[in-house]
Amino acid sequence: MKYSPMLFGFLALIACSPKPGDAPPPQPATLPSDIEQVASTEAPAGDYTLDKSHASLTFKVNHTGFSNYTAQFKSFDANLKLDPNAPETASVNATVDVKSLDIPAPPEGFLNTLLGPVWFDTAKFPQISFRSTKVDMTGPDTAKIEGDLTLKGVTKPIILEAKFNGGYAGFAPYDPAARIGFSAKGKIKRSDFGITYGIPEPGTTMGVGDEVEIMLEAEFTGPPLEAAAASANETPAS
């Protein structure tokens, strides 16, 4: 797989950018002449953890047929096992802090209502969890990830459509560990998980839709660059 070198230049720009009150920065370091080689270095196999600074988890639900109301969870975590040479063997586990629900301009008391017994009931069910069970490759960089979603104490199978956005083994000194990125989306029916309040009557849109669209953007960090290089240079025992 080939990955755009633009990201590496962006990282370098961030690292060298002055902050208010800082002394003038030194002459920026010259990017390596083999940048194309760095950019084409694939991420190694291993364990990856979510980079929470570069991740988002949002969802949309139809509101009275007039809009797709969009909200997000601000606190979630995930770990991933990945071998780029055998992506179908990948596995992922994720947890979401339901109390981190963030909605735009909520009316007074509305957020507490959503976190209460009728909707998410965070007093009894403070977490949402996902555990993958199967990965089916649908293209060179796309896959369907089957897994079990547990929401409000109910576990149901769901499918996420994922796209691998790229990765590298590291880019010292700016990013001295492996990094990979994914986009994923899926749909669930909230009624499957016991959240039925406000679902429109058949033939109408007056209420809050049953179908919920989930959207995830995530970067993961993995083995240190030195470890990845050492592993790549190992010679099999005779």
Side-chain angles (χ1 to χ4, degrees), residues 158-180:
I158 69 166
I159 295 177
L160 297 175
E161 296 181 2
K163 184 179 186 303
F164 178 64
N165 296 324
Y168 54 47
F171 184 53
Y174 309 110
D175 199 11
R179 179 175 292 271
I180 53 179

Side-chain angles (χ1 to χ4, degrees), residues 2-13 31-41 165 167-168 171 174:
K2 293 183 178 180
Y3 312 120
S4 169
M6 293 179 64
L7 173 60
F8 307 113
F10 180 65
L11 289 169
L13 179 63
L31 291 175
S33 59
D34 61 348
I35 184 67
E36 290 293 344
Q37 180 179 347
V38 173
S40 63
T41 301
N165 296 324
Y168 54 47
F171 184 53
Y174 309 110

Side-chain angles (χ1 to χ4, degrees), residues 73 96-100 114-129 150-155 193-195:
F73 292 105
V96 180
D97 178 3
V98 185
K99 290 183 179 180
S100 71
L114 292 178
L115 299 178
V118 172
W119 294 87
F120 286 107
D121 199 2
T122 56
K124 292 182 180 178
F125 309 105
Q127 280 193 341
I128 299 170
S129 65
T150 300
L151 167 60
K152 204 173 181 181
V154 178
T155 300
F193 299 89
I195 305 176

Side-chain angles (χ1 to χ4, degrees), residues 4-118:
S4 169
M6 293 179 64
L7 173 60
F8 307 113
F10 180 65
L11 289 169
L13 179 63
I14 292 175
C16 297
S17 297
K19 299 178 178 62
D22 285 353
Q27 184 68 23
T30 303
L31 291 175
S33 59
D34 61 348
I35 184 67
E36 290 293 344
Q37 180 179 347
V38 173
S40 63
T41 301
E42 293 191 9
D47 294 330
Y48 287 78
T49 57
L50 184 69
D51 176 359
K52 297 179 183 179
S53 296
H54 297 95
S56 64
L57 176 57
T58 59
F59 63 91
K60 296 192 298 187
V61 61
N62 188 275
H63 179 252
T64 67
F66 297 153
S67 69
N68 290 309
Y69 190 79
T70 304
Q72 67 174 327
F73 292 105
K74 300 182 71 173
S75 179
F76 58 100
D77 203 358
N79 58 74
L80 169 71
K81 288 184 179 292
L82 176 67
D83 181 354
N85 293 319
E88 69 281 357
T89 65
S91 64
V92 61
N93 290 280
T95 57
V96 180
D97 178 3
V98 185
K99 290 183 179 180
S100 71
L101 176 65
D102 183 46
I103 57 178
E108 184 177 356
F110 183 54
L111 183 57
N112 287 335
T113 297
L114 292 178
L115 299 178
V118 172

Side-chain angles (χ1 to χ4, degrees), residues 1 84 87-88 135-144 161-164:
M1 297 180 183
E88 69 281 357
V135 176
D136 282 327
M137 300 303 298
T138 57
D141 57 1
T142 58
K144 287 187 176 180
E161 296 181 2
K163 184 179 186 303
F164 178 64

